[in-house]
Amino acid sequence: MRQDVKKIRNLLKKYAKLKRDFTAFNQVSSPSFDGVSSHSSRNGAESRLINHVDLSYQLKEVEDALNAIDDPQYQFILHDYVIEKHFTRNEVCNQLSVSVSKFNYMKNEALHAFAKFYSDITV
């Protein structure tokens, strides 16, 4: 596997994990401020809020790049196969009516299409 394709796949796998973490974070109750001053320059609630904003920004960047891809087959491959893992490779090949080698080509093209729109990756 070429390094650039591997790098993009790893980023999308990280995105899937971030999305799960972000969902879990949103299910936690809101931080409460007890009015007690802290000797440090940052309290726990502030750190969690900054982490929340950072996660949401990272997710939005990836989602914007995914949504910018025009080809619905590429979007399907990236979202349902690479990120969400809803289907096996053979199932995707059947759904797209393509051979495994054609699917691998399409997957690599989809990953490169994503990289064109995602600003934080160099390929």
Side-chain angles (χ1 to χ4, degrees), residues 110-122:
L111 291 166
H112 281 108
F114 169 80
K116 281 195 305 189
F117 295 108
Y118 186 71
S119 60
D120 290 348
I121 195 167
T122 54

Side-chain angles (χ1 to χ4, degrees), residues 3-12 61 65 111-112 114-123:
Q3 283 302 108
D4 55 343
V5 170
K6 193 172 189 174
K7 189 175 185 180
I8 300 163
R9 266 187 83 108
N10 287 337
L11 176 96
L12 290 174
E61 289 252 306
L111 291 166
H112 281 108
F114 169 80
K116 281 195 305 189
F117 295 108
Y118 186 71
S119 60
D120 290 348
I121 195 167
T122 54
V123 289

Side-chain angles (χ1 to χ4, degrees), residues 21 23 28-30 37 43-44 46-47 50 55 63-64 66 71 80 84 86 95-96 99 106 108 110:
D21 291 349
T23 301
V28 174
S29 63
S30 298
S37 66
N43 63 32
E46 182 181 358
S47 295
I50 289 169
L55 281 175
E63 288 165 1
D64 287 348
L66 288 168
D71 190 320
D80 291 347
E84 297 294 332
H86 288 307
Q95 284 208 330
L96 298 175
S99 66
M106 291 173 70
N108 290 345

Side-chain angles (χ1 to χ4, degrees), residues 59-73:
L59 290 173
K60 182 170 178 1
E61 289 252 306
V62 172
E63 288 165 1
D64 287 348
L66 288 168
N67 291 332
I69 297 171
D70 289 333
D71 190 320
Q73 290 182 325

Side-chain angles (χ1 to χ4, degrees), residues 14-99:
K14 181 180 172 188
Y15 162 77
K17 183 184 178 326
L18 278 175
K19 195 169 183 176
R20 284 190 303 275
D21 291 349
F22 188 74
T23 301
F25 181 87
N26 281 337
Q27 293 174 353
V28 174
S29 63
S30 298
S32 62
F33 297 92
D34 59 9
V36 177
S37 66
S38 171
H39 294 288
S40 68
S41 62
R42 186 182 283 176
N43 63 32
E46 182 181 358
S47 295
R48 287 189 300 276
L49 183 61
I50 289 169
N51 187 45
H52 178 80
V53 170
D54 185 50
L55 281 175
S56 64
Y57 177 76
Q58 290 176 42
L59 290 173
K60 182 170 178 1
E61 289 252 306
V62 172
E63 288 165 1
D64 287 348
L66 288 168
N67 291 332
I69 297 171
D70 289 333
D71 190 320
Q73 290 182 325
Y74 288 0
Q75 286 186 341
F76 171 75
I77 290 168
L78 293 175
H79 183 269
D80 291 347
Y81 177 73
V82 175
I83 296 170
E84 297 294 332
K85 299 179 177 153
H86 288 307
F87 302 101
T88 66
R89 181 175 56 183
N90 288 337
E91 290 171 332
V92 174
C93 290
N94 288 336
Q95 284 208 330
L96 298 175
S97 299
V98 297
S99 66

